[in-house]
Amino acid sequence: MEFDIDTGNVTVLLEQSENVYAMDYDYKNRFIYFPRYNTHDIVRFAYPSKNTTLQTVIQSLSGPTGIAVDPTNGHIYWTDYNTNRLSRCNLDGNNVNVLSSLNSPLVIRLDLTNRWIYIVERFLGILKSRFDVAKQQNIVNSTSAPVDSMDIDTNEHRLYWINGEGDITSSKDDGSDVKTIHSTNVTAYYYAIGVVGSYIYYGNAYNQLLMVSKTPGSAQTVLYNDTSRIYSIFVLNSPGMSITIFSMFDDNLRRKLKRFFTISY
């Protein structure tokens, strides 16, 4: 859905019932890509467009979770949580290559300018790798609480993530200067975070979309209340900047995609 922060207007873009934990945008060709965990595929649809018909990009995957698009070189990267692999293919799904074996990979983000890949290994921390995977290094070690969400501010060269104890933490993109930005004081799974400008947007266990300043100690603001858990936030940098969110719900431990959000302001 599209939610305008100024007016509060909401527009539904897409609705289906699949497990989706991430999405990314091809700014060049204007497609939103996302993996569907239970359907074992990656799909896309045109955005902005009145036609949100899904196009299948690649099928017969195991458990795709994270996704990142490199429109400059015509590639998509994804992590597969079930096979513990990082893979890459062309934007149309051709030329599939397994690049690396990992440990519980969940989230992937790209620094397209400096050619770095950042991957959350859920129970270990954050891994940094070159695009050719020739050089890999662990830059953040997680604590006892797993990390399920992460985003990167390439302008400030900083990473932001939330652990299972509800701590929103930031570091430089080399893993140094680690500091806590905000603590929710609620132990839960935090799957959704997006960063743009001076603010961090995230979803909590109470089906809320929240905003908090990057300045440590700032108070959070509730932007939107839904009836189900928000599982992914994507920040779309374009004229009329917007934030895109997936909202999902649990049904006997089966997580299903309920709605697709975009928040504009």
Side-chain angles (χ1 to χ4, degrees), residues 46-66:
Y47 180 85
S49 173
K50 294 182 179 180
N51 181 8
T52 57
T53 301
L54 289 179
Q55 302 175 16
T56 300
V57 178
I58 186 169
Q59 296 177 302
S60 302
L61 303 176
S62 181
T65 50

Side-chain angles (χ1 to χ4, degrees), residues 63 104 117:
S104 60
I117 300 173

Side-chain angles (χ1 to χ4, degrees), residues 159-163 167-171 178-182:
L159 304 176
Y160 294 83
W161 66 91
I162 313 178
N163 66 15
D167 295 327
I168 300 178
T169 307
S170 176
S171 77
V178 177
K179 56 185 177 183
T180 300
I181 303 298
H182 178 77

